[in-house]
Amino acid sequence: MRRRIAAAVTGAMALSVLGAPAARADLSSPAVITGGSVNSGRDLVLGPDSRTTFEVSFTARDDSGISADHAEVNLLGPNGHRLQADPVSRPVCAPVSSTTSTCRFTVTVDTGSARIDNSWAGTWRLWALAVPNDWNPATGEGLVTRSGFASVRIKRKSTLTMDAAPEPVAAGRPLAILGALRFADWGNGGYTGSAGHPVRVVFASPSSPLYRYVKDLETGANGWVLATVLPDEDDSWWLAYNGTESTSWVYSADDYVDVR
């Protein structure tokens, strides 16, 4: 029976990836996948040589009920990459009513694996298959698939350093702010920087609970940034990076500058 389902899953997934409708019986009340979740909707931020396991789940409904052991899940990622899921336990799907079940899986990502590089960073979308109790194992009729109804962003971890000089500085004299933005390199290990990424200079005065952005910068070679400001009172300075679909946001540690 598992072989027949596996064959049906392979065909259904191929059709889903190609954008064609998955084959299923022409039933008056066909099975439906009603919703899903990947890592409870939270981003995953991974450094080099990081390994993490997270939960994926979906809910399905059919008048006959949902088979307890025959659901399948994959995550479809950028650049054609795919992550397969393993059941949290057996049975895979637990009934919440006579017609509806929730199916739970785990997915493991290891950025130290030889097959994972920076092209794996980005948005991953959930593909799921549910099997109703009244499906036809001879033809695969009754199986239901759904794609793209939940997602997770798996991001390269970002680091941002900053140093302000000279310290102390005379009021109205130039203060140089030097920093470096780096991203986890999943292919080669460690962290690497590159040009063209937006970074902002952030300022906060001890006399105010608010902070403000004072300059927009862009990283140069190897992720370096340099700015000059003219402080007129004691203050703290940061650099800030807002992140992207594939890289995490990050603030540098603050640097308090004594202005004399």
Side-chain angles (χ1 to χ4, degrees), residues 160 180-181 183 193-199 217-225 241:
L160 186 54
L181 176 66
F183 306 116
S194 57
H197 302 284
V199 173
L217 310 174
E218 190 172 273
T219 58
N222 299 316
W224 290 101
V225 291
Y241 171 67

Side-chain angles (χ1 to χ4, degrees), residues 54-56 58 71-73 85-88 92 103-107:
F54 56 96
E55 185 168 303
V56 178
F58 71 88
E72 301 286 346
V73 154
D86 297 312
V88 170
V92 180
C103 309
R104 301 185 184 278
F105 299 80
T106 58
V107 175

